Amino acid sequence: MKAIAAELAYFFRGQARKNIKLLTLYCSFLAGLVIMYAWLFRVLMWELEGREYSFITGIYWTITAMSTLGYGDITFSSDPGFLFSAIVTLSGVVFMLILLPFGMISLFLAPWIEQRLRYRATLELPEDTAGHVLIFGFDSVTRALSRNLQNRHIPFVIVSPSHDQAVRLEEEGFRVVFGTPTDAKSLRGARVENARHIIANLSDPENTNLCLTAHAMCTTPIATLVSEPDNRDLLRLAGADQAIPLKRILGHYLASRATTRGAQAHIIDSFGALQIAEIPVQATPFSGQSLSDAKIRQSTGLAVIGLWERGHFTTPHADTHLSPKALMVLAGTREQLQALEQITGEEEAEDRILILGHGRIGCAAAGFLEQRAVPFILIDREANVDCLDHVAVIGDATSSKVLNDSGIESAKGLIVTTNDDSTNIFLTLASRHINPDIRIVARANQEENVDQLYAAGADFVVSNASVGANILSNILEGKESIFLTEGINVFRRSLPPTLVGKSINDSRIRPLSGCSIVALERADGQPPLVVPPPETILEQGMGLILIGNPEQEKTFSRTFRDRRH
Ligand code: AMP
Ligand code: ZN
């Protein structure tokens, strides 16, 4: 019954509704024509043949004539009568037998069939589907992940419990299975046992249920996001291979970029012995010098592979000025990073950070600062009932009184982390106006607001979506590509065979793809060559560690047709 109602409902929506109006108009015209012919029939029968018929007989005769049935029980016997009969039959053929069915098919049947074909959500993937990533829960994080996967040509399928969402996503060109994530039948339909990985991005209880169901059916690895870090163990017990406390990671990440105390290098990730780390220039003694004068390589062995300033990443040259506002990205071994910390370590700058927003992310940022004994003030509109560790100033951060009373003028750093991007943009702009020197780290809830936050004066912007997506991509790719920051990736590729024996200069990797070589991994287990000079010869079996934006990464893959391992 429901199904019939749903089908009927189609005819009362959008274009179908307009077409119904057209059809009603046409039927009224036909009815008018029949009435007119019935009246003419009576008049002609009386005038030509002297016979009298009722109006109902007239209607009956007209319809049998127009529909070409012509029983022959009532007929004219004069020429004008035959002519009239012929006209009625002919107009019946045109208006009733040609135009009416044509209109019905083109205005109703064809669009309806098309709609049925188009809007039928997939319940089952073909049986031989394999090697796909299954995504449960489609939000800004998994949307960004789907872009990463598309760039890397990794097939993925989204499982959606909502018919409308499934249809919408299918229209956008995604492969979708419509089904309940925790239902074994849906999972079988999504060919879970052949999938390469499962990404669970639902609520913690739903993720737990999904992990239990999937784990009982197959050995496909499961990566799940966790809202409440305490639930990580439960999710692992339920069968998750990775449980990622995204909000906590984001909080720590924001906080690590906001503090200028000490010169602790923040390690982003590592490729074997090679570590990639970032450090604020301001917290080092090199602030204000040129790269060649700073002699970082000579004193520590570390290579500066990039500089970030207000959303712009540059590959430095010898005469690049190390601006105190920038963040240095370094490559080297753990020992070399420690050597840097020795040079810079002791001087602890006076630091005080303001955190606007004491939700899960703000709370995690506060926890990070607390551990490093960096003083901070939290501000939130409401008390965080889940947090027993921190006392926040209760007030709307967009009020200038609240901001001023919290000491924005003298604070060294600011973490803007409310759940509303317009508020974050407003707060960034207002704070930059009050304190031009403050280090502002802002959270973008939607990727499209990253640029506005930079324009409003943020020093660093971290988007939930891209951090989440990059963490998940790393897991899927076994950490080939690491998350550096918005729009820049460090990634590993094996040396394309066509480049064996060429020098770095002759390989034309940078001019052709825009990517730079951060390091060369050597086959014989020797330490990696960090930022090798251009004359270095690329040898068989070497691994390339490259840096570039996602576009450049794609160009590299296309140009050198690399194999991933
Ligand atoms: P979460 O998304 O869990 O990190 O939470 C964001 C936090 O930002 C919530 O605790 C909100 O109460 C807080 N928030 C949102 N708007 C404002 C505002 N104008 N002033 C202060 N706090 C805010
Ligand atoms: Zn807290």
Side-chain angles (χ1 to χ4, degrees), residues 247 356-363 379-384 395-399 417-420 423-424 427 443 445 464:
K247 293 206 164 175
L356 310 183
H358 183 209
R360 286 227 170 86
I361 299 180
C363 187
I379 303 174
D380 200 300
R381 270 195 309 218
E382 307 157 8
N384 182 339
D396 189 329
T398 54
S399 132
T417 175
T418 82
N419 46 357
D420 178 63
T423 307
N424 290 349
L427 289 172
R443 149 186 173 189
N445 296 288
N464 297 4

Side-chain angles (χ1 to χ4, degrees), residues 404-542:
N404 284 322
D405 288 355
S406 315
I408 182 91
E409 263 181 87
S410 57
K412 286 278 189 314
L414 174 72
I415 300 174
V416 185
T417 175
T418 82
N419 46 357
D420 178 63
D421 281 348
S422 304
T423 307
N424 290 349
I425 292 168
F426 176 86
L427 289 172
T428 303
L429 196 72
S431 312
R432 175 62 69 218
H433 184 67
I434 301 171
N435 184 345
D437 296 325
I438 198 167
R439 170 179 292 269
I440 302 180
V441 182
R443 149 186 173 189
N445 296 288
Q446 306 291 332
E447 269 182 304
E448 48 272 26
N449 292 322
V450 169
D451 290 344
Q452 270 124 303
L453 282 160
Y454 276 122
D459 291 298
F460 297 105
V461 181
V462 178
S463 115
N464 297 4
S466 36
V467 174
N470 280 301
I471 292 173
L472 291 171
S473 307
N474 292 347
I475 289 174
L476 291 176
E477 292 207 85
K479 272 197 177 173
E480 268 184 350
S481 155
I482 64 160
F483 175 64
L484 189 54
T485 192
E486 299 304 318
I488 286 287
N489 289 337
V490 176
F491 54 98
R492 187 195 174 284
R493 293 286 186 272
S494 41
L495 183 67
T498 47
L499 299 185
V500 172
K502 289 191 176 165
S503 72
I504 291 181
N505 222 352
D506 294 343
S507 75
R508 300 185 34 84
I509 290 177
R510 198 185 294 192
L512 289 175
S513 69
C515 299
S516 309
I517 297 182
V518 172
L520 288 175
E521 285 180 337
R522 290 184 281 188
D524 45 14
Q526 295 178 59
L529 289 172
V530 179
V531 191
E535 57 280 5
T536 312
I537 301 293
L538 300 169
E539 292 164 20
Q540 177 99 36
M542 273 183 167

Side-chain angles (χ1 to χ4, degrees), residues 31 72 152 168 171 182 206 230 259 283 292 314 316-317 332 397 399 416 418 442 475 484 487 499 505 512 534 537 559:
R152 286 160 207 193
R168 237 189 6 260
E171 277 190 329
T182 48
E206 285 173 312
D230 291 347
T259 178
S292 55
T314 47
H317 304 285
S399 132
V416 185
T418 82
I475 289 174
L484 189 54
L499 299 185
N505 222 352
L512 289 175
I537 301 293
T559 314

Side-chain angles (χ1 to χ4, degrees), residues 60-75 89:
Y60 161 76
W61 179 87
T62 310
I63 290 176
T64 51
M66 281 182 89
S67 62
T68 70
L69 272 172
Y71 293 125
D73 47 353
I74 307 167
T75 50
T89 307

